[in-house]
Amino acid sequence: MIDTRTAPVTVGPTTVRATTVATDRPNDAPAIRVDGLTKRFGTDGPIVLEDITLSIEPGEFVCLLGASGCGKSTLLGIIAGLEHPTSGTVTVSSGSAAVMFQESALFPWLTAGRNVELALKLRGVPRAQRRGQALELLDLVNLADAAHKRPHELSGGMRQRVALARSLAQDRKVLLMDEPFAALDAITRDLLHEELERIWRETGRTIVFVTHNVREAARLGQRVLLMSSRPGRIANEWRLADTGPRRIESPEVSRLSIEITEQLRQEIRRNAH
Amino acid sequence: MIDTRTAPVTVGPTTVRATTVATDRPNDAPAIRVDGLTKRFGTDGPIVLEDITLSIEPGEFVCLLGASGCGKSTLLGIIAGLEHPTSGTVTVSSGSAAVMFQESALFPWLTAGRNVELALKLRGVPRAQRRGQALELLDLVNLADAAHKRPHELSGGMRQRVALARSLAQDRKVLLMDEPFAALDAITRDLLHEELERIWRETGRTIVFVTHNVREAARLGQRVLLMSSRPGRIANEWRLADTGPRRIESPEVSRLSIEITEQLRQEIRRNAH
Amino acid sequence: MPTDTNTSTSTTVPSIPAAARAASNDDFRTLEAGLDALQTVPLAERGPWRRIVDGVLPPVLLLAALVLAWQFYVVIAQPRPDLVPGPFNVAASIGELWSNGRLQQAVLTSLARGGAGFLIAVAIGTPLGLLLAEWRLLRRALGPLLSGLQVLPSVAWVPAAIIWFGLTDATVYFVVLMGAVPSIANGLVAGIDQVPPQLRRVGTVLGASRLQLATLVILPAALPGYLAGLKQGWAFSWRSLMAAEIIAMGGSIGFGLGSMLQQSRDLADLPGVLATILVILFVGILVELIAFAPAERSLLRRRGLASGGTR
Amino acid sequence: MPTDTNTSTSTTVPSIPAAARAASNDDFRTLEAGLDALQTVPLAERGPWRRIVDGVLPPVLLLAALVLAWQFYVVIAQPRPDLVPGPFNVAASIGELWSNGRLQQAVLTSLARGGAGFLIAVAIGTPLGLLLAEWRLLRRALGPLLSGLQVLPSVAWVPAAIIWFGLTDATVYFVVLMGAVPSIANGLVAGIDQVPPQLRRVGTVLGASRLQLATLVILPAALPGYLAGLKQGWAFSWRSLMAAEIIAMGGSIGFGLGSMLQQSRDLADLPGVLATILVILFVGILVELIAFAPAERSLLRRRGLASGGTR
Amino acid sequence: SAQGSAATPAGPAEELRLGYFDNVTHAPALVGLEKGLLADSLGDTELSSQVFSAGPATIEALSAGAIDAAYIGPNPAVNSFIKSAGQSVRIVAGAASGGAALVVRAGIDGPADLAGTTIATPQLGNTQDVALRAWLGEQGYDTDTTGGGQVHIAPTDNAQTLALFRSGKIDGAWVPEPWVSRLVQDAGATVLVDEASLWPDGAFPTTVLLVRSEYLAEHPETVRALVAGHTASVDWLTAHPDESAAVINTKLTEDTGKGLSEAVITRALSHVTFTTDPLAATFPVLLGAGVTVGTAKPGKLAGLFDLSALNAVRAEAGVAPVSAAGLGTE
Ligand SMILES: Nc1ncnc2c1ncn2[C@@H]1O[C@H](COP(=O)(O)OP(=O)(O)OP(=O)(O)O)[C@@H](O)[C@H]1O
Ligand SMILES: Nc1ncnc2c1ncn2[C@@H]1O[C@H](COP(=O)(O)OP(=O)(O)OP(=O)(O)O)[C@@H](O)[C@H]1O
Ligand SMILES: [Mg+2]
Ligand SMILES: [Mg+2]
């Protein structure tokens, strides 16, 4: 397997619409570096991830695509520091990463506002500033009005937006997202794509976005990594020159989707017996 | 509101690939007729469906599209005879309809095979023939090997395929599907689109398919009906000349999707306050 | 494998014109607001009046009908009054017990003992449950024993407790504890087990320390299960208390409802027995209604777990 | 509103060439098979040997340690043997009870009574639960009373039952029924309530008649809740039985474990009391292990509800 | 080796907690309390009392240290002594003798009619229960402790026994006074066997005065004062046979809210003898009977009696000492 991931990566010309949160991007050091990572669960389990080497630039939006059970969540968990690699190293240059999960995983006993405030508290923000900052963050996801509502009073899409606000509250340079929109209906998902892209452009976060939706990956990512299954490896990667927001129905997204789908299906076929 | 739904509908030139189950289509009577249908829950609830008139031809594949809570499931339930209309009439010419729900709703205490057999039993198929017919139906959805497995041992996609086989076991001319693929991952969903289309072409069923995924509707339907919310009405409809299987990434699907999405978004915006 | 070759494709996607974008931001907000409005249906609360009519009236009517039928039977069939007393006899018996103060004394004694025993059980069961939930080895070893203890009728402890502690309040407390502690501890363990692992992960990701994780995430998340355990623990306390009071009567054991029941039996005073049973039932229901039901309801409602409405 | 105008658009979609299609059918099947293989992970069953080591060894070791500590204490501190007998005394007491046949008789009597009472309770509780679940008005009226009865310690019925039925087995059965029937009925109601409405709808759609819906859909779906209710009902039967046997001793009431316990107490025979407690515990656990645990496990496993494995 | 006797005397106790039954056979306690004889004799030591209804509960209270002394039947006392390896209690005086009988329903005229009947006793292993089992054994009947056998023995609470007898659910009962008299007077029972007829001289212990051994070791003076008060009480009962019924009834009414009828109490008193002699020599016989019928285990009785206080009190009054029959200090 030829490995092109160690080649120096150049970020395409990005149109940043608004930089409310100023981020300086030191173009020298990658935001995330994964080196020869291998993972197996237990001592006699099968190898889940094998020899993954990867480097992600600051401010990059990377989509990680793969069939169910190929190890996407495991890889993300290792980058987040929730799991330990069996061998190999993982370096996140900014120290640690914010994570957003598929189910919003909001604390059901706290209102939307308090959920965000809890993240601020655990980050060490003084009590006096928390409320204001939480409201700002909720406003960023267009939910300032819902601060007093409890998770169960919100729709799935609103919950995911609160979760997004909460992960932004961590104020980490890197944001890891594990199929954050998989459980949402199509209309909401399209909207949240636009929302996420806007926030990415506004805040300059480095985002690793796990999905098994080819079109979602092609819609959002500057770079799409396709993983193979059993064991999980990086099978291929695609780059999109980023020229600003694009629509999911654009012919370019479609063209790329067709290409990725074809390879993904080949990967899946390999597992038939 | 101008109502064009009473205009006679002509089915486009359909390429039926294989007609293992021979279906004669009496082009005179529609398969489903809905006339001035209005529905409210309880006596003082808001009107959910208002004055819906609709006619669906035998063998037609109709997609019903609308935002969450617009009344799609209610309409489907009324056609299925699970709910009663407040006013107006619904006629299904073949007597009754098969229904498939979002969650597979397989009986968890029965194997896949037995689930299908139960449907055959309730239809009145003699015991001796059930096993064989169930296996045939499971084979139709490429699951003959999984007949002895219980629902929890199957993946979400496999469960929906069993549910599809079960609803085919009812052997009704009309098949109503309520967001059958909404809970599946994107890869599986794409595959099931192909599966469903193949089965539709092979069996010549009349299908009403509820979804809130614009691309799914544009991918599958010969006709797409867009519903407005609060109260639910048919806001618009599109027809696709059916020239055989198409891909979800095809430019035509994309073009139609853009158009439908724009109208759907307008419908949604109307509800902001 | 041929699919493993890496093709680094570069596609240029046309951007939406910047001019249109600024204008579309407002549009986007309206769209999102519209969707939010469509997807959140305000739950229609039924009025308190409606709730009472629906919830309280039918059982009260049934009860009234049953009492009427009973009285009717007594009037018609004229059964032996010592075997089938009428509702009036029972009511008179309650009145008498009330007027000579024995009823109040018994209720107060039993409630005080049950309450104290329950609180001690909570004080023991809670740390025990926490330990069991977080210390795997202890749980493997002690868990089955604790579940076994839940199978053992706490009434079986009464004779042993009497031998150890004599006819003193210590006996009653011991029996109550043996009944309530396992179920409180097991309730907490079950509650903690049901905490979705995702919530722990979120806590860790947000940077919570071990202590913060326990106090800010795990305990609040385990609260419904803990509350269910407490409720069951109270039921066990109350049952065990009654058993202990009935069996261990005399000595320096105060006069509780169980003792009153047993005394009525000794006097072959069936109206008194039935009156006491009614009082025990009434106190049990009252405690549930006053102490546990509101806590549970508000907890579940705040988390959207309440089972209400028609859907 | 402008969006309400109907535009009937007609788009022509190019079809995939028919020649390619036939060949792609096999491809499609492989693709689907590959996806199925990826999405179903066979659950790794732990071997029975491993299960025993993990599940049985720790509590047994702990138990052994506890017994050892107890014996140690008795040897070192030399407490009064009538207050703190040693493990050997208790073992000797079991041996003696066994050798003179009293133990076997007591276990058999209690088991027979508990079993018979439980079966009668099932026979009453099941139709009651069905009625309650399906007849809304009855449920509104009777439901709260039945829940109330569950709060009432069944031991409170013993004095009344003795007055009604004297010191006979009828007293014991009455008390057992008052304990077990409400919990069996409530368990069935809860089980039926938890049947997802979707399953009912599927049954209706498949053309099931009312009877078929009940027997082929609702009852099988409610089985886990019903089984849980049965299990709890058995626990209540056993508890109530012990209470009744301890309190209502004498007369023509046969000799059960509760009576044996009370007799040991009367003879100030603490080793006997402890031995009987152990036997009661053992019988309770055994019944759960033999009768309920396998049924529950297989039921849950067949429905994929078993909580097992590390994830 | 007994822990209790290892304790050193600590002077008179501050209080003495006394247990007794509301029974005619416990009349020395009733009279002593009612007439203040016990309290007078105890002086500064505060006297409190507790009513029990059964021997085992009394023993449990003694063991748990909830009471210090008690009036009780001989069998529970023996039981506790043996089970505790001689550490728990000491008998310091006798209280009553006689006053137990087997009463039966009409139609049972001799031992031969008892086959298949159900006979109640107050409690498994108590004095009457053992007597019944032993007697039935002599008559050739099989019995067992689980209620089986040719004659079913149902240990039943005395109050319950009266009700059950009235409703015909039992055929007879071996009970102490006043229950014998109540069954005879109130329920029409007839006496089949008077227990007195089974013993030489008709003398067998019914009630003794028992003290916790630790208490005895710590406060011998207090125990002596108790024994003195008890002796005074017994003496009063012997000296005032006409007044005793009234005094006893007053105390019973005070305790339970209900007295006994004149006829019952008079008949009962005539069958009981009050004496401070514990009849120590009969204890091995009692134990032997218990072992034979399976309600007791063999054991040593040596040390059960501590009659030094009693004999000192008797010596002061110029009465002959009583014998411990080699089972303890005199
Ligand atoms: N804690 C664990 N112990 C053992 N095996 C595990 C564990 N977590 C994951 N696995 C296995 O590792 C493989 C990868 O799992 P992972 O959850 O990372 O996949 P994924 O790509 O995120 O799948 P999905 O798309 O379904 O979320 C799977 O085969 C899974 O069974
Ligand atoms: N049984 C019912 N009682 C009262 N209101 C109901 C009931 N069922 C549905 N509704 C209401 O009717 C409206 C339409 O519901 P319906 O489920 O048909 O929508 P839907 O289009 O299927 O939505 P979704 O996409 O979320 O499935 C909603 O506002 C809902 O609250
Ligand atoms: Mg995953
Ligand atoms: Mg719906």
Side-chain angles (χ1 to χ4, degrees), chain E residues 83-307:
Chain E
K83 291 268 163 56
S84 67
Q87 296 174 36
S88 56
V89 288
R90 298 285 179 273
I91 293 174
V92 294
S97 136
L102 170 62
V103 293
V104 292
R105 64 172 161 80
I108 298 178
D109 303 318
D113 297 334
L114 285 174
T117 55
T118 302
I119 309 289
T121 61
Q123 195 131 44
L124 181 75
N126 95 330
T127 317
Q128 289 82 35
D129 185 68
V130 172
L132 172 65
R133 289 170 198 277
W135 180 77
L136 283 174
E138 282 164 24
Q139 306 301 318
Y141 287 113
D142 265 356
T143 61
D144 64 31
T145 49
T146 59
Q150 292 162 317
V151 175
H152 313 294
I153 299 179
T156 306
D157 192 54
N158 287 331
Q160 200 74 46
T161 297
L162 183 60
L164 288 172
F165 186 85
R166 274 199 176 121
S167 60
K169 297 234 168 65
I170 56 174
D171 304 292
W174 193 301
V175 280
E177 291 295 356
W179 297 100
V180 175
S181 300
R182 287 198 72 179
L183 280 162
V184 169
Q185 304 272 353
D186 300 351
T190 53
V191 175
L192 186 65
V193 181
D194 189 333
E195 193 173 341
S197 66
L198 304 178
W199 293 84
D201 313 333
F204 64 97
T206 311
T207 312
V208 295
L209 180 56
L210 199 63
V211 176
R212 211 150 46 84
S213 14
E214 287 105 330
Y215 194 85
L216 177 58
E218 282 167 22
H219 311 292
E221 304 94 320
T222 314
V223 173
R224 190 180 150 164
L226 172 68
V227 172
H230 165 68
T231 308
S233 189
V234 169
D235 290 347
W236 186 91
L237 274 166
T238 337
H240 304 83
D242 302 332
E243 293 169 45
S244 40
V247 173
I248 289 170
N249 234 352
T250 314
K251 180 65 180 160
L252 287 182
T253 315
E254 201 178 291
D255 284 351
T256 63
K258 245 189 227 170
L260 293 168
S261 73
E262 188 69 31
V264 166
I265 202 156
T266 312
R267 187 192 176 286
L269 279 174
S270 71
H271 283 81
V272 186
T273 314
F274 300 104
T275 164
T276 54
D277 183 354
L279 305 170
T282 61
F283 277 71
V285 184
L286 282 174
L287 177 61
V291 171
T292 312
V293 303
T295 59
K297 300 201 175 94
K300 287 202 202 73
L301 290 177
L304 174 60
F305 294 90
D306 186 338
L307 303 179

Side-chain angles (χ1 to χ4, degrees), chain A residues 41-42 48 66-75 83 102 178-179 210 212 230, chain D residues 41 310-311:
Chain A
F41 286 98
V48 173
S68 186
C70 73
K72 305 180 292 291
S73 299
T74 307
L75 178 54
E83 308 256 17
Q102 170 169 350
D178 192 356
E179 299 178 27
V210 162
H212 33 221
R230 294 184 190 173
Chain D
V41 183
T310 43
R311 302 217 293 160

Side-chain angles (χ1 to χ4, degrees), chain B residues 17 170 195 237 243 266 270, chain D residues 1 3 13 15 21 32:
Chain B
R17 196 148 51 100
Q170 289 189 261
E195 188 88 59
E237 74 171 72
T243 55
Q266 273 180 38
R270 270 192 22 230
Chain D
M1 235 162 282
T3 55
V13 182
S15 71
R21 237 185 292 140
E32 208 160 62

Side-chain angles (χ1 to χ4, degrees), chain D residues 107-122:
Chain D
V107 169
L108 283 182
T109 310
S110 284
L111 264 184
R113 268 206 291 238
F118 175 66
L119 289 183
I120 302 174
V122 171

Side-chain angles (χ1 to χ4, degrees), chain A residues 150 170 195 237 239 243 266, chain C residues 3 7 13 15 32 302:
Chain A
R150 290 177 192 281
Q170 288 188 262
E195 187 89 58
E237 73 169 72
R239 269 164 207 290
T243 56
Q266 272 180 38
Chain C
T3 55
T7 47
V13 182
S15 71
E32 207 160 64
R302 280 197 321 199

Side-chain angles (χ1 to χ4, degrees), chain A residues 185, chain B residues 39-42 45-49 65-77 83 102 178-179 210-212 227 229-230, chain C residues 38-39 41 310-311, chain D residues 201:
Chain A
D185 66 281
Chain B
K39 173 76 183 175
R40 68 173 358 137
F41 286 99
I47 293 181
V48 173
L49 296 175
L65 187 72
S68 186
C70 73
K72 305 181 294 292
S73 300
T74 306
L75 178 54
L76 216 69
E83 307 256 17
Q102 170 168 348
D178 192 357
E179 299 177 28
V210 162
T211 181
H212 33 221
M227 284 180 72
S229 302
R230 295 185 189 173
Chain C
L38 280 179
Q39 291 188 344
V41 183
T310 43
R311 299 219 289 161
Chain D
R201 291 166 70 97

Side-chain angles (χ1 to χ4, degrees), chain D residues 38-118:
Chain D
L38 281 179
Q39 291 190 344
T40 47
V41 183
L43 292 170
E45 277 278 320
R46 284 183 302 164
W49 178 238
R50 196 57 218 265
R51 268 220 319 264
I52 288 176
V53 168
D54 277 8
V56 176
L57 213 59
V60 166
L61 284 181
L62 180 70
L63 216 59
L66 285 179
V67 169
L68 218 73
W70 175 16
Q71 175 64 28
F72 209 68
Y73 169 74
V74 169
V75 168
I76 298 289
Q78 299 266 1
R80 256 172 62 182
D82 61 331
L83 292 185
V84 187
F88 286 114
N89 305 21
V90 175
S93 185
I94 292 183
E96 194 190 309
L97 287 169
W98 178 271
S99 66
N100 64 23
R102 281 155 53 88
L103 182 63
Q104 295 92 311
Q105 188 194 343
V107 169
L108 283 182
T109 310
S110 284
L111 264 184
R113 268 206 291 238
F118 175 66

